């Protein structure tokens, strides 16, 4: 079935990988750590950092996909990220109403697609990633956020 894609939804596949995990008060330190590590990578897997809201802990969780050749001891807990397909669309960062509109629109698109079903679980939560650089933010005056809804 073909559906009209008014949200600009794209379907991507993220690879299975090891991810470093931080939550709560550790987020600022985690941001500094992964930002430095990210400067050293040579691959084209972009992005490597994702966030989600953990309902059980009621806090944000930040993930960073480690490079395949990463050999240093990781200062953060590791997660075996299962990867898989995601339906993705852009929203305005820090505008909860817009994020909810886009999230619901993605879910409606998935349902209407006839090809995919939502595959959210504790192991595969919906993710988000800020896609706006500081230079772009200076022009837009807001940041854009990709919302990733897991599908199968």
């Amino acid at each position: 079935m073909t559906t009209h894609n008014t949200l600009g939804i794209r379907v991507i596949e993220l690879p299975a990988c090891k991810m470093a995990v931080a939550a709560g008060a550790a987020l600022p330190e985690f941001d500094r750590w992964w930002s430095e590590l990210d400067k050293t990578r040579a691959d084209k897997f972009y992005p490597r950092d994702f966030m989600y809201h953990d309902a059980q802990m009621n806090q944000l969780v930040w993930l960073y996909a480690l490079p395949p050749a990463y050999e240093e001891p990781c200062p953060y807990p590791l997660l075996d990220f299962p990867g898989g397909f995601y339906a993705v669309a852009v929203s305005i960062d820090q505008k909860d109403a817009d994020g909810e509109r886009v999230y619901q629109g993605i879910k409606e698109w998935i349902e209407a697609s006839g090809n995919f079903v939502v595959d959210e679980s504790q192991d595969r939560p919906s993710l988000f990633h800020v896609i706006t650089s500081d230079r772009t933010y200076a022009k837009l005056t807001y940041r854009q956020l990709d919302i990733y809804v897991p599908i199968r």
Side-chain angles (χ1 to χ4, degrees), residues 12 42 76 92 108 112 125 128:
I12 65 162
Y76 296 92
I92 298 172
E108 289 169 10
F128 60 89

Side-chain angles (χ1 to χ4, degrees), residues 12-81:
I12 65 162
E13 184 174 9
L14 295 176
C17 61
K18 289 276 188 202
M19 286 201 181
V21 182
L27 294 181
E29 179 184 306
F30 186 76
D31 184 23
R32 288 187 291 278
W33 172 79
W34 79 260
S35 294
E36 284 303 309
L37 178 59
D38 202 59
K39 291 176 186 175
T40 67
R41 71 181 171 121
D43 65 70
K44 302 300 179 201
F45 173 12
Y46 184 83
R48 282 193 172 275
D49 72 294
F50 300 90
M51 294 183 94
Y52 69 93
H53 181 263
D54 186 303
Q56 289 182 335
M57 295 189 307
N58 194 29
Q59 62 185 353
L60 288 177
V61 176
W62 209 336
L63 306 170
Y64 182 78
L66 295 173
Y70 185 80
E71 294 180 9
E72 297 175 32
C74 183
Y76 296 92
L78 296 178
L79 164 77
D80 286 321
F81 180 72

Side-chain angles (χ1 to χ4, degrees), residues 76-151:
Y76 296 92
L78 296 178
L79 164 77
D80 286 321
F81 180 72
F85 290 109
Y86 288 80
V88 184
V90 68
S91 71
I92 298 172
D93 187 25
Q94 298 186 345
K95 299 283 187 192
D96 291 346
D98 191 60
E100 188 60 29
R101 175 191 65 82
V102 171
Y103 174 73
Q104 291 303 325
I106 294 170
K107 288 177 71 174
E108 289 169 10
W109 179 86
I110 294 165
E111 185 176 313
S113 75
N115 297 314
F116 302 104
V117 295
V118 174
D119 192 28
E120 285 179 302
S121 68
Q122 178 108 11
D123 294 331
R124 288 192 76 213
S126 287
L127 306 170
F128 60 89
H129 172 79
V130 176
I131 60 175
T132 309
S133 68
D134 290 341
R135 290 179 59 191
T136 305
Y137 173 71
K139 296 283 188 183
L140 284 176
T141 69
Y142 63 90
R143 294 192 188 276
Q144 295 174 314
L145 181 81
D146 267 347
I147 298 174
Y148 294 71
V149 176
I151 57 177

